[in-house]
Amino acid sequence: MKLSTFASILAATVLGTPVAAAPTPTAASAGSAGCGKAHLLPGVTTYNSLTSSGRGRNYFIHTPGNYSETTPYPVVLGFHGSSSIGLFFEVDTGLSSDSFSADKIMVYPNGVGGAWAGANYSEVSVEEDLQFVSDLLDDVRDSYCVDDSRIYATGMSIGGGFVNTIACSDVGGQFAAFAPASGSYYTDNDATHGACTPARSPLPVLEVHGGADGSVRYDGGDGEGGEEPSIPTWLGWWAQRNGCDDGAKLVEDSFGGDVHHTTWNNCGGEEGVLQHWKVDDMGHCWASTEINFSQVAAGQGPTHIQASQIIMEFFDKFTKP
Ligand SMILES: *[C@@H]1O[C@H](CO)[C@@H](O)[C@H](O)[C@H]1NC(C)=O
Ligand SMILES: *[C@@H]1O[C@H](CO)[C@@H](O)[C@H](O)[C@H]1NC(C)=O
Ligand SMILES: CC(=O)N[C@H]1CO[C@H](CO)[C@@H](O)[C@@H]1O
């Protein structure tokens, strides 16, 4: 893709969306060390660097256009798929537009070698990438005004897989909720799922997956970077970890039976902390009602559901206890 095309699409994505109405009420919160520090380019995606485990790492960050240095904001980390960078995930998902994140700080980290830990082709260890997540959050807290009880993670493909790796680790205790999409769960498969030890239970998790995903198959098996679990099996592990009453599971079908939304209720006394959206005819892409790059790459059109909206609404329900 030509850079000029990329830049104009980025500008349209980031700057061209009308400001959404209905603001979400913000609970009173202390805020991080970055509260009070001024930023010159609110509403514009900028590039930051840090050193983690002795390696130079970097990320893109987008603040709301009306960023207030005294308002503690929720932070959403968005992890790109393989052979990609954070900026591509930002454009593909549209997550920096006001319609999805008018009141949130969006952070798009870059993986080493265009990937995240966990696959057999990853260039860094799971320990190193988890340390990076922890160092990244410290960097963001130091420079921006962050509501520490509302930190979230989403991601696509291996980025979705890495979101699950975070949820399964101590570092995951810093987050309020997780939403992987089309995820390749290499670190949480039939052989390794016992190694998933979440920092607390229940831990809110929402997954979106295409039934026609040819890269990270719904039924699991050998993936590009290792063995992947079947999605229903993997969801069953989360239902156990979250203490969900499987009898209180609700499935809603829509769009002529193409879309299936499952909600596990009564998970350790909480409602809706585990959710899944399956789109039968969707391939390996980010679900969107407006066609985006990952859909073009997967050779398909728009989908019935908008993952960016579903995921942000899910995040808004949860605050870290
Ligand atoms: C910024 O604008 C959004 C969207 O209209 C609104 O929800 C939010 O309260 C505003 N924030 C500030 C600090 O004015
Ligand atoms: C990674 O794992 C997949 C699936 O098991 C396998 O097909 C592939 O050859 C492996 N690649 C490497 C580099 O080990
Ligand atoms: C390139 C492109 O059209 N991307 C779109 C993908 O979908 C999101 C969410 O609807 C849009 O904001 C992007 O513009």
Side-chain angles (χ1 to χ4, degrees):
M1 184 190 354
K2 283 206 307 254
L3 198 59
S4 57
T5 316
F6 197 91
S8 62
I9 289 164
L10 179 65
T13 306
V14 176
L15 306 173
T17 319
V19 173
T24 324
T26 307
S29 169
S32 66
C35 296
K37 293 186 184 166
H39 289 281
L40 295 178
L41 295 172
V44 175
T45 302
T46 58
Y47 187 69
N48 288 356
S49 303
L50 67 144
T51 301
S52 177
S53 304
R55 194 192 296 268
R57 301 293 301 255
N58 40 62
Y59 62 94
F60 298 93
I61 186 162
H62 181 273
T63 51
N66 61 355
Y67 181 77
S68 149
E69 63 207 47
T70 54
T71 303
Y73 286 92
V75 171
V76 177
L77 307 191
F79 294 90
H80 61 73
S82 62
S83 308
S84 189
I85 58 168
L87 200 60
F88 183 85
F89 183 78
E90 179 187 42
V91 173
D92 199 51
T93 60
L95 278 171
S96 291
S97 79
D98 279 349
S99 49
F100 301 129
S101 61
D103 61 352
K104 292 184 176 68
I105 296 174
M106 295 299 310
V107 176
Y108 307 96
N110 288 334
V112 175
W116 299 102
N120 58 15
Y121 58 80
S122 303
E123 291 182 17
V124 297
S125 66
V126 166
E127 291 67 29
E128 182 174 337
D129 256 353
L130 287 175
Q131 183 61 45
F132 167 56
V133 171
S134 187
D135 294 342
L136 167 67
L137 287 177
D138 286 344
D139 203 61
V140 173
R141 287 187 193 102
D142 280 350
S143 303
Y144 298 85
C145 195
V146 172
D147 178 348
D148 221 29
S149 66
R150 295 192 296 160
I151 295 176
Y152 309 93
T154 185
M156 157 85 195
S157 193
I158 195 176
F162 186 56
V163 166
N164 186 65
T165 305
I166 299 170
C168 287
S169 76
D170 281 352
V171 177
Q174 299 186 47
F175 291 76
F178 300 89
S182 309
S184 43
Y185 306 114
Y186 301 125
T187 63
D188 192 13
N189 57 31
D190 286 312
T192 61
H193 81 272
C196 177
T197 51
R200 60 175 196 277
S201 176
L203 197 59
V205 173
L206 177 147
E207 210 255 359
V208 182
H209 215 106
D213 192 327
S215 301
V216 182
R217 284 187 298 277
Y218 201 82
D219 294 335
D222 268 355
E224 199 190 339
E227 188 211 328
E228 292 154 351
S230 96
I231 300 306
T233 301
W234 174 84
L235 288 163
W237 295 333
W238 273 112
Q240 278 172 14
R241 289 164 193 151
N242 278 346
C244 305
D245 170 6
D246 219 44
K249 187 164 82 174
L250 177 73
V251 184
E252 296 161 282
D253 300 325
S254 55
F255 296 101
D258 184 43
V259 175
H260 314 278
H261 176 207
T262 306
T263 307
W264 282 257
N265 287 316
N266 192 13
C267 299
E270 285 193 50
E271 304 303 302
V273 291
L274 180 61
Q275 296 192 32
H276 175 57
W277 289 82
K278 180 186 183 194
V279 182
D280 286 345
D281 65 358
M282 184 172 88
H284 192 63
C285 69
W286 186 262
S288 172
T289 49
E290 293 167 62
I291 191 151
N292 57 26
F293 289 124
S294 58
Q295 291 172 338
V296 173
Q300 65 163 78
T303 43
H304 288 125
I305 60 165
Q306 181 72 276
S308 296
Q309 186 189 343
I310 288 170
I311 286 169
M312 290 314 218
E313 285 174 2
F314 178 71
F315 288 164
D316 283 341
K317 290 190 174 72
F318 299 103
T319 299
K320 192 180 69 175

